[in-house]
Each structure stands twice: as structure tokens, then as C-alpha cells.
Amino acid sequence: MGLAHAANVHFADIDIFHTRKRAYDVDRYWWEGGSWGHSYHNEQGLTNPHRNCGQPAPDTYWGASGMVAWTLVTGDDVVREAALELADNTLWRARNTTDTECARTAWGGGNGEGYMLWWEEHPPARPVANTQRILAWAWRLTGDQAYLDGAAGAARWYQCESDRFGGASWPEALLARSMAEYIIAARDAGIDVDPAAEPGLTSLLQAMASPNNLTRDGDRAWFSSY
């Protein structure tokens, strides 16, 4: 509990670009309420100024589900506020991204200022997985169906992009986890699961379990190329 408290308070205080903007339906800049990455790869943490790793992007949006879980266990209002600030940034960006045609298909495009995926071609699964997971957990904290509707967009994105995900790696594993969490959350909410979600989860799991992608050695297993 001590380590969980330290991690969640740190993330809530330091890792989020705090501003006065609140709610997912207010006008904002894409970075307001976003989460910074910690550092570049192989960089010493003790010498890192902490805010040198690119810019707030869902590709590095870690911590929100942990903040929600901590809030549900402890009732910590400071951490709750930070979790919702990040979730609202995430939902606003998803609704307003036009990064790729598949992103527009999934979330509608909005004003085009969301800049969620950052890759003009072949965006990876990780930012979409992080987006879906954050929004599913934000629903658990608030009961606001708008967060689940945003999480459903990740299923539509994968349906549009699935032809290029014939293999399997840890980013796809993150998306499989978040897809399952969205499905469970939608069922718990008593709403219809997006039609793309369960086939998407099945496709991801089958790809991960394929002998072409998974290497097994006794009780150990790993993705062959990652």
C-alpha cells in the first residue's frame, strides 16, 4: 500500500500537465491535462529533468487505471481529480483526432485538433490500448457512459486496421487486455458491446496464440519476434 500510495500521488502531482480545463466537452488545446513520458530509453533517471520526453501523447499515457483503482480503494479525492483530468484529455483527443482515416472512422474526427496517434502511417496498437483502458476505468470511477462510448472507438479502430496486424507483440497484447476490459465494463454497465469488440479480441488472442508468433519452452512462452 505504501508503494501504491507513492506511485499514485507522484503520477497525480507530477506526471500530468495540469491546467484549469475540466470536462471532456470543453474547448481545449490537445496537451491540456495530458501525461508526460518520463525519459528517453536508456537514460539515467537521476539526471533526467523529467519533462524532456516528447510531449503528452496517449502512447505514454500510463497510470490512469492505477489512479482510478487507488481512488476506489481509498477515496483519495486528489488522485481522483487527476485521474479524471487525464481521462477527459484522452476522450477529448479521441473525439477530435483526424490522424488517420481509421481514427476518423473510429471516433468521428471532430475539430481535428486531437492529435491522438501521432503516426501518419501505420500507428501502433499501444496508444489505442492506453486510450481504451483509461476510458474504461474512467467509467468505473464515474458511471458516465461517454467514457465507454470513447473506449468502444478502439474496437472500431482495430477493425479498420486489423489487416496489418497479422503478427503479435506486446503492444497488441496491451490492446487485447484493454479490449477485454472494455467488454467487461460495457456488460457491467448493461449497454450493448460495440460489434467490433469481441471479434477484435478474438483476433488478437488468436494471433498471440499462433505457433507462428509464440515460442514455448516448457512453462515459459514469449512472442517470437519481440
Side-chain angles (χ1 to χ4, degrees):
M1 287 293 286
L3 290 173
H5 176 258
N8 282 289
V9 170
H10 172 96
F11 197 100
D13 181 29
I14 301 297
D15 290 353
I16 295 174
F17 200 119
H18 296 292
T19 72
R20 297 181 184 274
K21 293 295 174 69
R22 293 296 183 272
Y24 48 74
D25 54 0
V26 302
D27 196 22
R28 65 169 72 219
Y29 293 110
W30 56 266
W31 46 266
E32 292 182 295
S35 171
W36 292 88
H38 272 231
S39 62
Y40 294 109
H41 287 290
N42 302 316
E43 185 178 9
Q44 291 296 317
L46 294 177
T47 58
N48 176 342
H50 193 71
R51 294 207 167 170
N52 65 342
C53 188
Q55 58 272 46
D59 196 50
T60 55
Y61 274 19
W62 320 111
S65 55
M67 288 193 293
V68 171
W70 177 259
T71 300
L72 293 173
V73 169
T74 67
D76 189 321
D77 287 334
V78 173
V79 174
R80 180 184 191 277
E81 176 70 11
L84 290 179
E85 187 177 3
L86 181 56
D88 288 345
N89 168 279
T90 305
L91 181 54
W92 185 92
R93 294 181 70 169
R95 285 177 166 182
N96 290 290
T97 184
T98 56
D99 288 345
T100 65
E101 182 178 352
C102 287
R104 293 192 294 274
T105 299
W107 288 286
N111 64 19
E113 297 297 321
Y115 308 118
M116 193 188 76
L117 299 177
W118 290 98
W119 284 266
E120 292 183 1
E121 295 183 4
H122 311 305
R126 186 170 79 176
V128 179
N130 289 341
T131 295
Q132 188 174 42
R133 190 168 205 227
I134 287 169
L135 296 179
W137 279 81
W139 170 80
R140 293 203 175 276
L141 188 59
T142 65
D144 186 343
Q145 187 175 326
Y147 293 119
L148 281 186
D149 292 342
R156 297 188 292 271
W157 177 88
Y158 178 74
Q159 182 180 55
C160 179
E161 293 274 7
S162 59
D163 286 348
R164 65 181 184 84
F165 286 110
S169 67
W170 60 267
E172 284 79 66
L174 295 180
L175 186 58
R177 177 182 66 178
S178 69
M179 199 77 72
E181 289 181 325
Y182 157 69
I183 292 168
I184 292 169
R187 289 176 176 172
D188 287 347
I191 66 173
D192 292 336
V193 177
D194 189 280
E198 292 185 19
L201 175 59
T202 298
S203 174
L204 288 161
L205 294 176
Q206 287 175 339
M208 286 193 290
S210 167
N212 295 327
N213 298 321
L214 195 67
T215 297
R216 294 179 174 87
D217 180 11
D219 61 354
R220 298 178 65 240
W222 58 89
F223 294 128
S224 304
S225 58
Y226 291 85

